[in-house]
Each structure stands twice: as structure tokens, then as C-alpha cells.
Amino acid sequence: MDYRSDAPAILRDFLIYHETIKGHSHNTVDEYFLDLRTFFRFLKLHRGLVPRASELEEIPIDDVDLDFVRSVTLSEVYEYLAFLSRDRVKNQRSRDTEYGISAASRARKIASIKSFYKYLTVKANLLEENPVQDLDSPKLPKTLPRYLSLAESERLLQSVDSRNRARDYCILCIFLNCGLRISEIVGLNVSDLRADHLRVVGKGNKERVVYLNDATAAAINDYLLVRRQIDAVDKSALFLSNRKTRISREAVHSMVKNSLLRAGLDASKYSAHKLRHTAATLMLQNGVDVRTLQELLGHEHLNTTQIYTHVDSTDLRIAASANPLGHFQPDAAKEEEDEE
């Protein structure tokens, strides 16, 4: 995606700032662009600046300028939120038309709008007042995150049985032992391997060191024996596709789903990201503190890591039993008096 050709100047400057100064990844910058493009398209339709019958996805935004963004009101943003929750198609690529995107997706789009206006007022000094400063984000429902148990994780690792067994087992092992993101695994190069650790490039091109336990080191060594026999098109990529190029995110997602099915697990409930979550949960349950986990997972803020600090039902039962009132019973004689 080339936002530089599609975005108006005022939006392009904001995106370049995030890419060059803030160091955000291409994917993050693209998400900012898509979120703000949809917002501007809605505003043009809502204000009657384009024919009412216009398709939202076809409305151009090249004429959006400073006067346009300055005129945005808080009520218009809330109208946009209502549109997202009621009338926005959930999945543009799906054949099944469902309307209303999730609270988490709406919150991300609102975060993009707030970031854009903060840039215009604080960094670029193009606006004196921020019209969305008091904008509230949608309340996100608190749900218990899904993760595999230790026994289920072992079943998943034992289930690998494909023409790329060494590669697939190695990828699953890194997911479950190291907690890497799928983009980080796909982006690994042979040169990132060390004797006892990986050099990982995470979000915002931030580097970190992830140490390897014995099982993961063994899985990598076994895969390298296979990898060295492949005349790779992409010589630098660690994990290769059947076409001998760098493996794609889609291929990893597909491999994870197939492995889950072979392990007899519900592939609709789990994903590559849930494997990262599983790694974090297993480490927390076995004594790793949350700040160490923050460093390992590559989270910039501790509150991001804290979503993994859910307590399982066993701990909740122990906590309930530990309450000194847990065995209290009303005095039988007192009950008899009350009955009289």
C-alpha cells in the first residue's frame, strides 16, 4: 500500500511523522491511514459533500485539508462511532454481510483519530484547539483470554506431521516457548540466531534478545539441518515456504490451524496469537514475574503485559478456601432459638 499517493498532504505528513520520527512499522502506519481514510470518507458523506448514494469505499479524500479537519466536531465523531457500531460492514472481504464492528476495533479507530489531532495541535502546531480532546473510547468488555493448557500444548507439539515437520515443529516450539509474535517469527533471519538466544525485531523496529531453552534450541538445530539442504531463493530468511522464499504470515496461520486440528483442539478458538498468549500464561504460572515477561514479550507498556496476568480457576478455588470465613457455620442452638 502506498499511502503517499492516496493521502492528502495533511494526512501524509502525519503518517511520515509516525514512520520516520516515531519509528512505527509499515503495518501500523498503514492502519492509521486506513482508519483516518474511513473517517474522512464518512464525514464527506455525512456532510453531504458527495452524493448520498455514493459507495463509502469509493469516496476520494484527496481534497481533505486543514479547514476540513479543523471543522470536525465531537458530535460528528460520535455519529461516526454510531455508524461503526451499527452500519459498518464487519468484513469487507466476506461473502456474508454482517454489520457493526467490535468495540475493540472501534477503540483502535478512535485512537487513530485522537493521535492525528494530537499531532496537529502539539507537534505540527497547525491547530490551536483539539476538537477531540475530550473524546471517550468505547468501553471494552472484559473477557477471559483463551490459552492452551500445558497438556494441550504438549499435544499440539506432538501432532506435527507434515512434509515440513522440522520447520513446523520449530515454529510451534518458538511460539510456545518464547512467545514471539507471528510477524517476528516470519521476520527471523538466519543471522538472528545465536548459540543461546535470538535477536528479535519487534514492533516499531525495536530489537530485543530472547533466550532459548533446551527444547527450542534443539528444535532450531534440527530445522537448520534441513534448512542447509535447501537452495533458498531468500538466503537470509530463517523459515522458508515450499517455494523456497520467506514463509508468509498466511502460511504460518494455516499451519497452526492444521496442527490444532490434528491435535484434536478447536481451531476456531485458537490461533497463532493464542500460542503467544499460552507461552506468557505458562511462564507466569511457573514463577516468571510480570516485568520480566514484559521484556520478553517486547511490550512497551506494562499494562499491555497485564492482560496475561489472569488467574486460573484453580487459584480462585484456593483463594476462596483460604478465607477464614470459609468454614463458618451458624450456631445450631441460635438457629433453634430463631425458629421458636
Side-chain angles (χ1 to χ4, degrees), residues 158 235 244-245:
Q158 290 173 347
K235 305 293 184 183
K244 304 178 183 181
T245 58

Side-chain angles (χ1 to χ4, degrees), residues 31 36 38 45 73 92 103 140 147 153-154 167 179 191-193 197 199 219 241 243 281 291 302-303 333 336:
E31 287 174 358
L36 290 165
T38 302
L45 190 61
T73 64
Q92 301 293 322
L140 300 180
Y147 61 95
S153 300
E154 291 173 346
R167 182 201 68 185
S191 60
D192 293 326
L193 297 178
H197 68 270
R199 169 187 168 271
S241 69
R243 292 176 295 179
T281 301
R291 289 199 175 274
L302 185 62
N303 60 355
E336 291 175 1

Side-chain angles (χ1 to χ4, degrees), residues 84-96:
L84 293 175
S85 62
R86 293 193 312 249
D87 304 321
R88 180 64 168 161
V89 176
K90 277 188 177 181
N91 189 343
Q92 301 293 322
R93 300 177 182 176
S94 175
R95 294 180 180 179
D96 299 325

Side-chain angles (χ1 to χ4, degrees), residues 266-285:
D266 190 341
S268 67
K269 292 182 178 179
Y270 301 105
S271 63
H273 187 70
K274 293 298 187 295
L275 300 188
R276 169 172 159 89
H277 193 163
T278 297
T281 301
L282 293 176
M283 283 185 273
L284 277 170
Q285 290 177 343

Side-chain angles (χ1 to χ4, degrees), residues 145-147 179-181 273-285 290 293-294 297-299 301-312:
R146 290 193 179 103
Y147 61 95
L180 266 62
R181 301 178 178 94
H273 187 70
K274 293 298 187 295
L275 300 188
R276 169 172 159 89
H277 193 163
T278 297
T281 301
L282 293 176
M283 283 185 273
L284 277 170
Q285 290 177 343
V290 68
L293 191 62
Q294 176 190 3
L297 296 175
H299 287 158
H301 302 292
L302 185 62
N303 60 355
T304 307
T305 314
Q306 287 172 337
I307 68 169
Y308 296 102
T309 59
H310 50 81
V311 184
D312 65 25

Side-chain angles (χ1 to χ4, degrees), residues 19 33 41 50 79 106 136 140 149 152 193 201 218 247 272 280 301 313 324 337-338:
E19 186 174 2
F33 169 61
R41 284 173 167 173
V50 293
E79 287 281 352
R106 297 199 305 273
D136 295 322
L140 300 180
S149 66
E152 289 171 331
L193 297 178
V201 180
I247 196 169
H301 302 292
S313 58
E337 290 178 5
D338 292 341

